Amino acid sequence: MNDRLIKHKIILEILDKYRVIWSLGHLSSLADWDMNVYMPEEGAKSRGEALAKVQVLIQNLFLEKEFVDKIKIAFKEKGLNEYELGILRILNKQLKYYEKLPKDFIEEFARVTTEAHLAWKNAKEKKDISIFLPSLKKIFYLSRKRADYLGYKENPYDSLLDLYEEGLNSKDVVNYFSE
């Protein structure tokens, strides 16, 4: 991002601290890409373990008191521009996410979804969904649990939709597809 768009010192400090979190997320994405492209089957379990630990490390960094305090202080800052407000909105959303989910859940979800990828790949190649069904059941169970942790007003899926499309809810999806 062009630092000239960021005028306030507190936002620059937050972004400087966030670079470590971003870097871990970037490496996690590369590991995920590698899993989809080159990783041998034997690597799935250890990759799942590594990605699970990285997700917990990201959560720990997000929840560091100094980082949380800087975000809270920045919200009180006067004269923030639209870019700075956007940064705070997104970071605050991520912060709430990490505050609501227990570390052991974050670790389990990352491990299960990473290891499930291999089952999905095998099921696809062999055209046999039964290979993937046990993993899919675990993912559904954990997704429901995640929705409960995150909270929702009407439908558990609302909290999950919001992770990918802010403000989207199940009523909007039903209305869209019913037209």
Side-chain angles (χ1 to χ4, degrees):
M1 179 173 287
N2 185 343
D3 285 345
R4 289 179 291 180
L5 298 174
I6 310 304
K7 308 277 187 231
H8 289 82
K9 182 181 177 197
I10 188 82
I11 304 296
L12 290 169
E13 290 171 5
I14 290 169
L15 288 176
D16 188 52
K17 189 120 173 88
Y18 182 74
R19 277 184 177 86
V20 175
I21 296 169
W22 173 87
S23 297
L24 289 170
H26 183 70
L27 286 173
S28 183
S29 295
L30 287 173
D32 191 53
W33 171 82
D34 177 63
M35 179 179 64
N36 286 294
V37 179
Y38 295 113
M39 187 182 77
E41 284 188 24
E42 299 79 32
K45 191 164 184 70
S46 59
R47 180 65 52 93
E49 183 66 26
L51 287 172
K53 296 298 183 190
V54 168
Q55 290 306 310
V56 170
L57 184 56
I58 289 170
Q59 181 188 35
N60 289 340
L61 290 169
F62 239 104
L63 297 179
E64 281 183 356
K65 184 176 177 2
E66 180 188 347
F67 189 65
V68 172
D69 289 346
K70 282 187 185 291
I71 292 172
K72 289 179 182 176
I73 290 167
F75 268 108
K76 297 175 185 172
E77 190 78 22
K78 301 284 187 227
L80 296 174
N81 65 39
E82 65 184 284
Y83 300 103
E84 294 166 329
L85 290 170
I87 288 167
L88 289 179
R89 181 181 54 78
I90 290 167
L91 290 179
N92 194 51
K93 182 179 177 186
Q94 289 179 307
L95 177 61
K96 287 179 182 178
Y97 176 84
Y98 288 119
E99 288 174 335
K100 292 178 180 180
L101 296 177
K103 289 178 186 355
D104 60 334
F105 176 82
I106 286 180
E107 194 169 351
E108 181 181 13
F109 191 83
R111 189 179 303 110
V112 166
T113 54
T114 302
E115 290 175 16
H117 177 77
L118 180 61
W120 169 81
K121 195 174 175 181
N122 286 334
K124 185 178 174 189
E125 282 176 14
K126 295 176 181 171
K127 298 181 181 177
D128 182 2
I129 190 69
S130 68
I131 296 169
F132 181 56
L133 281 178
S135 296
L136 186 60
K137 286 178 183 176
K138 286 181 193 174
I139 292 169
F140 278 153
Y141 170 76
L142 291 173
S143 294
R144 287 184 187 115
K145 200 171 174 181
R146 182 164 65 162
D148 289 338
Y149 282 130
L150 295 174
Y152 52 90
K153 290 181 183 172
E154 294 180 26
N155 188 317
Y157 195 45
D158 293 346
S159 63
L160 303 177
L161 283 170
D162 190 64
L163 294 174
Y164 300 97
E165 187 64 43
E166 193 171 0
L168 185 65
N169 61 48
S170 54
K171 281 184 180 177
D172 294 336
V173 172
V174 168
N175 288 338
Y176 178 80
F177 284 107
S178 65
E179 287 181 10

